[in-house]
């Protein structure tokens, strides 16, 4: 996988849904936005349109990395069609950042694009997973609990399949999965009597179940994605990564937690230290073993 650096924006027509992407030399990353998801499959964006989020992500890549970025809006949510379009971007595009997908479609598209020999696929769900893990670390620390001693409950874990493994890679001592079918035997409020933090992906927790220690994903995933994307995509491309693993996401989460000011659960969106910190931590994970030994 080749990553081509560039410093100038491309003043060319952007890729159109269902059309042919422009032949722009030097493109290394693509922001692929599935607008179909805004109608409900992967959750609505009440604060901005999916196209506004696409523009924001593209701007972040251009501002914080040496990569050139292609915007590719798609109005179909069919995973096979999305995978085919992304696969066709190779070899010029090294990494495709895909937004507007639920967990099931994200996994399917990653697999199909890899089978086609297409670009590495990084999804908005991946960036949200790293940010949720970082928020959990900060939530524990605010309560004086070291991550290794932390006991965390995750509701509806299938909504973020890599979250549990990412938390473990972050050093969280215990991760317990909970689904709505467990409510009768294990009510959340009672379960939280023996746990330290709750990540409520199901939206099932009452305010009284774990007050002050409940982590909820925002209605707009862009709020989390914008923190993680620049540093993560730069590191993935710079180290010729072949996939996005829980270990990679944990590195991004640790960097976020380390750059979070006291009293907050995440850094501010304009903190320029964050992309560099994430790129550095993820780079250490992706570096060859010989390089890791020189940079413990």
């Amino acid at each position: 996988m080749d990553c081509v650096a560039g410093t100038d924006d491309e003043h060319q027509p952007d890729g159109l849904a269902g059309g042919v992407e422009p032949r722009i030399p030097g493109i290394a990353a693509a922001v692929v936005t599935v607008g179909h998801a805004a109608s409900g499959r992967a959750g609505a964006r009440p604060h901005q349109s999916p196209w506004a989020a696409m523009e924001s992500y593209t701007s972040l890549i251009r501002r914080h990395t040496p990569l050139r970025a292609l915007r590719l809006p798609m109005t179909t949510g069919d995973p096979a069609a999305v995978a085919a379009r992304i696969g066709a971007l190779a070899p010029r595009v090294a990494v495709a950042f895909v937004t507007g997908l639920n967990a099931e479609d994200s996994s399917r598209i990653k697999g199909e694009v890899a089978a086609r020999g297409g670009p590495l696929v990084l999804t908005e769900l991946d960036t949200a997973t790293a940010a949720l893990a970082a928020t959990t670390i900060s939530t524990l620390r605010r309560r004086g609990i070291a991550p290794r001693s932390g006991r965390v409950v995750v509701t509806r874990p299938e909504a973020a399949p890599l979250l549990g493994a990412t938390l473990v890679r972050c050093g969280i001592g215990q991760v317990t999965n909970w689904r709505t079918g467990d409510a009768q035997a294990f009510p959340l409020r009672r379960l939280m009597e023996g746990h330290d933090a709750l990540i409520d992906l199901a939206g099932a927790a009452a305010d009284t179940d774990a007050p002050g220690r409940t982590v909820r994903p925002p209605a707009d995933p862009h709020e989390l994605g914008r923190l993680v994307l620049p540093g993560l995509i730069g590191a993935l491309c710079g180290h010729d990564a072949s996939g996005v693993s829980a270990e990679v996401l944990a590195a991004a989460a640790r960097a976020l937690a380390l750059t979070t000011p006291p009293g907050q659960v995440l850094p501010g969106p304009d903190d320029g230290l964050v992309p560099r910190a994430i790129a550095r931590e993820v780079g250490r994970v992706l570096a060859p073993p010989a390089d890791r030994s020189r940079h413990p």
Side-chain angles (χ1 to χ4, degrees):
M1 178 177 69
D2 295 325
C3 297
V4 183
T7 56
D8 298 326
D9 289 349
E10 295 293 345
H11 301 291
Q12 299 281 348
D14 297 319
L16 300 177
V20 178
E21 73 277 5
R23 299 299 179 185
I24 306 173
I27 290 176
V31 178
V32 183
T33 293
V34 181
H36 174 78
S39 64
R41 285 187 65 191
R45 296 178 182 274
H47 302 299
Q48 64 178 330
S49 76
W51 317 125
M54 177 184 66
E55 293 291 341
S56 173
Y57 284 131
T58 303
S59 176
L60 285 168
I61 293 172
R62 291 173 172 173
R63 188 185 319 146
H64 293 287
T65 80
L67 308 177
R68 292 184 178 179
L70 164 71
R71 297 183 295 268
L72 181 60
M74 297 195 68
T75 56
T76 176
D78 176 54
V82 175
R85 288 289 286 122
I86 295 172
L89 297 174
R92 292 179 301 106
V93 170
V95 181
F97 178 63
V98 187
T99 75
L101 296 174
N102 59 26
E104 181 180 356
D105 288 347
S106 293
S107 296
R108 179 177 171 184
I109 287 171
K110 282 185 177 184
E112 291 192 14
V113 172
R116 294 171 180 268
L120 170 65
V121 174
L122 171 68
T123 69
E124 196 171 39
L125 180 58
D126 292 327
T127 59
T129 295
L132 288 170
T135 302
T136 304
I137 293 172
S138 298
T139 299
L140 291 171
R141 287 176 174 166
R142 288 175 67 177
R143 302 186 68 242
I145 301 170
R148 66 179 178 276
S149 301
R151 298 162 298 174
V152 176
V153 173
V154 180
T155 70
R156 196 177 167 232
E158 60 273 14
L162 286 178
L163 180 57
T166 298
L167 292 168
V168 171
R169 290 284 188 174
C170 285
I172 300 298
Q174 178 183 322
V175 179
T176 301
N177 292 329
W178 184 94
R179 296 172 175 83
T180 53
D182 299 323
Q184 185 171 355
F186 303 99
L188 267 179
R189 186 170 185 176
R190 187 193 310 165
L191 184 63
M192 290 309 300
E193 292 174 359
H195 290 80
D196 304 302
L198 170 65
I199 305 177
D200 187 21
L201 303 181
D207 292 339
T208 55
D209 286 338
R213 50 200 178 104
T214 300
V215 176
R216 292 184 172 92
D220 186 351
H222 175 262
E223 294 181 20
L224 302 181
R226 64 184 177 182
L227 292 172
V228 179
L229 176 63
L232 181 53
I233 199 170
L236 290 171
C237 193
H239 289 82
D240 198 28
S242 59
V244 181
S245 65
E247 186 177 11
V248 164
L249 297 182
R254 290 193 299 270
L256 272 180
L258 287 171
T259 52
T260 297
Q264 297 180 204
V265 293
L266 285 174
D270 299 319
D271 190 335
L273 295 177
V274 173
R276 294 194 293 272
I278 291 177
R280 182 172 59 251
E281 290 297 320
V282 173
R284 288 172 177 168
V285 168
L286 295 174
D291 290 344
R292 292 191 202 184
S293 64
R294 290 196 294 268
H295 302 283

